[in-house]
Amino acid sequence: MATPPHLRLEGIYTQRQAGFFMQRIKLPAGLISSEQARKVADIADKHARGVVHLTVRESIELHWLTEEALVPVARALTSVGLVSRGACGGAVRGVVCGALGCAGAPRLEALSRRMHRHFTGNPRFERLPKKFKIGLEANESSGRHLIQDIGIVPAGDDTYNIYCAGGLGREPMPGFLLAEGVPEGGLIPLIEVVVDIYAERGAAGKRLKHLVAQLGREAFRDLVFSDAHARESFPSTASHFDTLLPLANGAEGRLEASVFAGELQADRLRALAAFADRWSGGILTVNSDQNIAFYLGADAPAAEAETALKDAGFAAATSAGEVPFRVCPGNHECILGLAPTRDVAAALVEAMGEEGRALTWALSGCPNSCAQPQLADVGIICARTEKEGEERVPRFDLHRKGEGAFAEAVEKGLTLTQLLDRANNVR
């Protein structure tokens, strides 16, 4: 059953199982307070089978909600200032920040949150043909700036390079450099022009990348900068409360708790909230690897904090034996999923050798590529299913990094047995 548009705008999708819904919670730059995290854990226990899902776009999803639970859940989220408006549907999604492990993180985190506030809940940005994604990255190393509708990368001296019209899914297309050296005050006006052009000219159900492919990059750039608003620059107004991170430099004193496949039990989320209260100023950060990161206070002894995190039952994401693995919900819950992704990922980790464990992995349960497999060392997409006897079984495409912007398929149509064999021998 298709999700009604008014529910999608509130961050709600119908689930694969009839009568159940998924609620997505937008987190600006992935930040959530310990109080908010405990409220989410309480909601999960009451309405979502005691589990939350962390996404690669730094948000939280609650699955298995009944229709009767949607309003109480919305009230509970609102009571602690959590927002879901625009988390799904044809709107500007949550503004992600993949820069929080790097120097200069507080400034970029604050910018992400300001942009998030600007675009969330504004009806002008809720009439879009499809979703519109904005992301800030500290540099170009991850490649995530190329998968956004707007990707923002610092260029020095408080200016930024703007990449545009990227996306993965069934038709991967790297973003192109739209503008260089844009001052911070010019980011929102420029993005507004791009969003307005997309709203006016984009085809229903198509991402910005399709409009740019139709018009051509230069024609699109000319269209953007023919609008005087694109060159406007808002004055920068400093705030004492710009950053929520406890560190002056986000590259130091950072710990990351590993969460396999982004699936986190409610009681474990409470344990992380308690850790945040003690060590990181009551702030947790959902990051793009589906883990939870913490930024320690300036006087917090890092070694003692790491021991406390381990005592709370969490391995550090950099621990030996922990395989970096992004995983979408697949057909466990998603209406589009073709494979039981969490089960497949666990089997892959079990099968892989030591060399494979040193690589980054990502598994998507359908060609929409929500786990960003094209950005991993080893990316896997369940491309289709085939009938075997009375059942339909998944077939997987295996992607590896090469010279291009995105990893490309090196083998297609693998059975699960073949896929596990490749994992055992991957180099």
Side-chain angles (χ1 to χ4, degrees):
M1 180 184 73
T3 310
H6 71 282
L7 287 183
R8 290 200 296 270
L9 272 179
E10 297 297 344
I12 297 167
Y13 278 147
T14 50
Q15 199 166 290
R16 184 181 193 87
Q17 295 79 7
F20 291 97
F21 297 82
M22 178 275 288
Q23 172 74 75
R24 184 175 295 147
I25 306 165
K26 292 171 76 170
L27 302 178
L31 271 64
I32 183 171
S33 73
S34 55
E35 177 190 7
Q36 291 171 329
R38 279 188 280 269
K39 177 62 71 173
V40 170
D42 292 344
I43 295 170
D45 272 337
K46 187 172 183 179
H47 299 290
R49 301 189 177 182
V51 178
V52 304
H53 177 73
L54 312 179
T55 81
V56 298
R57 285 196 58 80
E58 304 171 3
S59 63
I60 290 176
E61 291 178 355
L62 297 167
H63 295 272
W64 300 103
L65 305 182
T66 63
E67 186 171 2
E68 293 74 22
L70 296 181
V71 170
V73 166
R75 287 174 178 157
L77 293 174
T78 302
S79 73
V80 289
L82 289 170
V83 175
S84 294
R85 185 75 178 183
C88 303
V92 175
R93 299 292 177 87
V95 178
V96 300
C97 184
L100 296 189
C102 305
R107 178 172 60 89
L108 297 175
E109 167 252 326
L111 176 58
S112 296
R113 291 191 297 108
R114 287 199 298 272
M115 295 175 68
H116 178 101
R117 291 195 301 268
H118 182 84
F119 288 104
T120 294
N122 189 327
R124 179 179 167 194
F125 309 118
E126 294 182 344
R127 55 190 176 95
L128 309 182
K130 206 170 183 181
K131 57 193 172 186
F132 192 96
K133 297 180 176 180
I134 302 172
L136 281 80
E137 298 292 329
N139 51 53
E140 299 179 357
S141 60
S142 71
R144 284 195 173 99
H145 64 294
L146 297 176
I147 68 171
Q148 315 290 351
D149 294 285
I150 291 288
I152 304 170
V153 181
D157 298 324
D158 293 326
T159 65
Y160 299 83
N161 293 338
I162 309 302
Y163 291 81
C164 184
L168 295 177
R170 298 170 186 269
E171 301 168 276
M173 184 181 301
F176 73 99
L177 185 59
L178 176 68
E180 296 182 272
V182 178
E184 185 169 306
L187 292 175
I188 285 177
L190 176 56
I191 296 170
E192 285 185 340
V193 171
V194 173
V195 174
D196 286 344
I197 291 171
Y198 176 48
E200 293 166 6
R201 295 177 177 246
K206 295 290 186 180
R207 294 282 298 277
L208 177 64
K209 63 184 180 182
H210 296 104
L211 176 61
V212 171
Q214 173 192 334
L215 296 175
R217 291 178 175 180
E218 290 308 312
F220 181 80
R221 182 183 283 110
D222 290 344
L223 191 60
V224 169
F225 288 104
S226 67
D227 189 325
H229 188 50
R231 301 185 185 278
E232 184 180 356
S233 185
F234 292 165
S236 178
T237 304
S239 168
H240 182 65
F241 303 105
D242 262 357
T243 181
L244 296 181
L245 297 179
L247 286 179
N249 185 336
E252 300 173 1
R254 179 180 184 274
L255 288 178
E256 185 173 335
S258 179
V259 180
F260 181 72
E263 294 299 294
L264 188 59
Q265 299 291 327
D267 59 345
R268 288 170 63 77
L269 179 57
R270 290 191 189 91
L272 291 175
F275 178 90
D277 281 335
R278 170 66 179 84
W279 296 101
S280 63
I283 299 294
L284 307 81
T285 305
V286 179
N287 67 22
S288 296
D289 291 319
Q290 296 175 286
N291 294 326
I292 300 283
F294 304 90
Y295 298 85
L296 308 182
D299 299 325
E304 187 177 340
E306 188 167 2
T307 298
L309 188 62
K310 188 180 299 183
D311 290 344
F314 291 89
T318 55
S319 299
E322 290 297 320
V323 180
F325 212 136
R326 299 189 298 270
V327 182
C328 75
N331 68 8
H332 296 289
E333 291 97 9
C334 180
I335 199 167
L336 299 176
L338 302 175
T341 47
R342 295 193 288 272
D343 298 340
V344 173
L348 285 165
V349 172
E350 181 70 22
M352 67 180 62
E354 288 304 311
E355 292 186 51
R357 290 176 176 273
L359 303 175
T360 60
W361 294 69
L363 168 62
S364 280
C366 82
N368 282 349
S369 303
C370 291
Q372 302 170 357
Q374 294 92 340
L375 297 182
D377 293 325
V378 185
I380 301 159
I381 297 175
C382 184
R384 65 182 190 279
T385 60
E386 291 184 358
K387 192 166 185 180
E388 280 189 5
E390 297 301 314
E391 297 183 352
R392 297 198 68 85
V393 295
R395 292 290 184 265
F396 302 93
D397 293 350
L398 180 65
H399 292 64
R400 295 301 306 271
K401 275 189 175 178
E403 297 300 319
F406 299 151
E408 297 183 357
V410 294
E411 291 188 271
K412 294 186 176 184
L414 297 175
T415 65
L416 178 57
T417 300
Q418 291 171 326
L419 185 64
L420 296 176
D421 177 70
R422 304 305 188 270
N424 183 52
N425 294 288
V426 73
R427 300 289 185 270

